[in-house]
Amino acid sequence: MSDAVTATRAPIQIGSITVDGFMLPDGFYRMSLSQVAESVDLTARNAFDFLKTKALKRLLGEDYTVSISQVEISPDGQSRGQSRFDALPLEIVSAYWLWQAHRNKKALSLCMGLITESLER
């Protein structure tokens, strides 16, 4: 049996980029580790390695505990079976993109879109 949580895909527009978020039954959102990296043209390994850096602790606090969970995607009626992925909470996603922003134009664009959207709301 599976102990993974089932999530619903939710496309999210951030500036000029669209990413897939996944809404959990409790209403919180997660993103896949691979998409977090691919959305800024990097590999999943790069994002995974970031989880072990001191930079993450500096951005989120020394007491922050990294939490990666297995999530299944609710079937949309067109695909066979269910996909699973390693899910990251949005605070890790934000920290990763912010960390990449000074060296990666796409990450900078994502951070700009997030900041602008936040200020407009």
Side-chain angles (χ1 to χ4, degrees), residues 6-56:
T6 302
T8 305
R9 186 183 307 270
I12 301 166
Q13 187 72 34
I14 303 172
S16 62
I17 299 167
T18 301
V19 297
D20 281 334
F22 296 91
M23 188 172 70
L24 302 178
D26 62 8
F28 287 100
Y29 286 85
R30 299 287 185 272
M31 286 185 68
S32 77
L33 184 128
S34 59
Q35 186 186 27
V36 167
E38 290 167 4
S39 62
V40 293
D41 298 331
L42 296 169
T43 65
R45 182 67 192 187
N46 183 275
F48 183 77
D49 289 345
F50 173 74
L51 299 176
K52 299 183 242 170
T53 66
K54 291 180 182 179
L56 179 64

Side-chain angles (χ1 to χ4, degrees), residues 7 13 26 28 40 48 52 57-58 63 72 83 92 95 117-118:
Q13 187 72 34
D26 62 8
F28 287 100
V40 293
F48 183 77
K52 299 183 242 170
K57 294 287 187 180
R58 284 195 302 265
D63 295 335
E72 290 181 352
S83 298
I92 292 178
E117 182 72 18
S118 295

Side-chain angles (χ1 to χ4, degrees), residues 55-108:
L56 179 64
K57 294 287 187 180
R58 284 195 302 265
L59 290 167
L60 298 179
E62 290 298 322
D63 295 335
Y64 187 83
T65 303
V66 174
S67 169
I68 300 176
S69 56
Q70 278 282 309
V71 173
E72 290 181 352
I73 303 169
S74 293
D76 59 7
Q78 297 180 13
S79 62
R80 294 175 45 163
Q82 292 183 321
S83 298
R84 286 186 185 203
F85 64 92
D86 292 325
L88 297 177
L90 298 183
E91 63 266 12
I92 292 178
V93 174
S94 300
Y96 177 70
W97 287 343
L98 186 60
W99 183 249
Q100 291 297 331
H102 78 281
R103 65 186 82 140
N104 181 306
K105 289 181 182 180
K106 204 161 182 186
L108 180 62

